[in-house]
Amino acid sequence: MPKKEKKKDYAGVMPKKGWVKRNIHFFGRRIFVQVFKKRLGEAKHAVLDPPAEGIARITWIGHASFLLQFADHSVLIDPNWAHWHGFVKRQRNPGLGIKFLPHIDLVLVSHAHFDHLHKKSLKIVDSREGIIVPKGSRKLVERLGFHKVYEMAIWDDLKFDDLTITHTPAHHWGARYLHDTHRDYGGYIVKSGDLTIFHCGDSAYFEGFEEIGKRHHIDIALMPIGAYNAPSGRDVHMNPEEAIKAFLELGAEYLIPMHYRTFPLGNEPDNEPEERLVAEAKRLGLEDRVIVLDEGVGIELEGSYSSAGENI
């Protein structure tokens, strides 16, 4: 990782002052109580037929996992069907059954963290074009059954017929373990025809969102809004107000939230991210542009600043 980029956008791995107290709260108030709660929600069958030309069907599976369906392509991002990550219990079931997906053309993984690059889920998924990972993560996925593995550096492009993927920067870190800090991290621009979807990956707020928006017109931004009260105290995730600020700097038409509700990874209460997001959207008059999805329920949207606007 270049020194300049590391200084600017790398969150580091060392906790901040007060991390012991924050972790005691995290384990006592967040982790322990979740162990005894029933997991909510149920898996649905994906809609197998592709949407019409010029329309994207977006289905939130949970956490940062999305199924994107276009007329000619289906893309799966950060697929994760895990019920546990170590001692962290999944609070809501995946919205789609992993064995009832449409044919997948391409899989994207935003970074190497266990909740985004989940090997057991990736082993089950098949894709026609293979899998894309950030630079430095090839070895983590090359034995998972994909016939082709692509590594991307920031601002790299890959083209598959009329589907174009661009790897975008973020303020986060990509180490799967403490020592492998060489791994890259970021988000993706997914462009099919005139439709452009931005999956942010994991990121704190940083000045790079404006640059992403200058380079790409974005119809739909999939933005993380949870885990902002990190037990480590590090600046690694956005809060809901920062997510909306980033959304406006991107110049996107719609915001769909993610990275909340599924795994308790921060000290904020379960309902707080969504409540704060809705309140900030109302304060700024953006209610019609912020779309809160339920897991497994697809929404179809058109590009060019117009909406098909119907849940399916």
Side-chain angles (χ1 to χ4, degrees), residues 205-211 213-214 244-252:
Y205 173 80
F206 77 127
E207 62 185 20
F209 290 112
E210 187 173 353
E211 176 66 18
K214 287 179 179 178
I244 287 185
K245 181 179 180 182
F247 161 70
L248 292 173
E249 291 180 358
L250 287 166

Side-chain angles (χ1 to χ4, degrees), residues 34 38-40 89-92 261-264 270:
Q34 295 295 336
K38 182 180 179 180
R39 195 174 286 114
L40 302 175
K89 180 181 179 180
R90 189 180 193 120
Q91 299 177 88
R92 299 179 64 86
R261 194 192 288 177
T262 310
F263 296 104
D270 290 339

Side-chain angles (χ1 to χ4, degrees), residues 63 79-80 82 85 111-119 175-177:
H63 198 49
N80 185 340
H85 278 296
H111 61 298
H113 292 171
F114 286 84
D115 57 323
H116 294 258
L117 195 161
H118 184 244
K119 288 186 176 182
R176 192 165 179 88
Y177 306 98

Side-chain angles (χ1 to χ4, degrees), residues 8 19 74 113 116 144 157 178 207 252 270 279 290 300-301:
K8 182 179 180 182
W19 68 272
S74 291
H113 292 171
H116 294 258
L144 299 182
D157 292 320
L178 289 178
E207 62 185 20
D270 290 339
V290 174
E300 293 189 354
L301 296 171

Side-chain angles (χ1 to χ4, degrees), residues 262-275:
T262 310
F263 296 104
L265 299 177
N267 273 326
E268 69 275 0
D270 290 339
N271 297 328
E272 184 177 282
E274 184 175 331
E275 291 172 354

Side-chain angles (χ1 to χ4, degrees), residues 51-115:
E53 190 74 32
I55 293 176
R57 181 184 301 130
I58 301 150
T59 308
W60 184 39
I61 299 168
H63 198 49
S65 305
F66 280 88
L67 171 65
L68 309 182
Q69 294 171 276
F70 306 97
D72 299 316
H73 303 280
S74 291
V75 179
L76 197 59
I77 307 179
D78 283 356
N80 185 340
W81 273 263
H83 282 170
W84 291 84
H85 278 296
F87 47 76
V88 179
K89 180 181 179 180
R90 189 180 193 120
Q91 299 177 88
R92 299 179 64 86
N93 285 307
L96 296 178
I98 194 170
K99 296 182 179 180
F100 302 103
L101 297 174
H103 182 85
I104 302 298
D105 293 292
L106 191 64
V107 176
L108 310 179
V109 174
S110 62
H111 61 298
H113 292 171
F114 286 84
D115 57 323

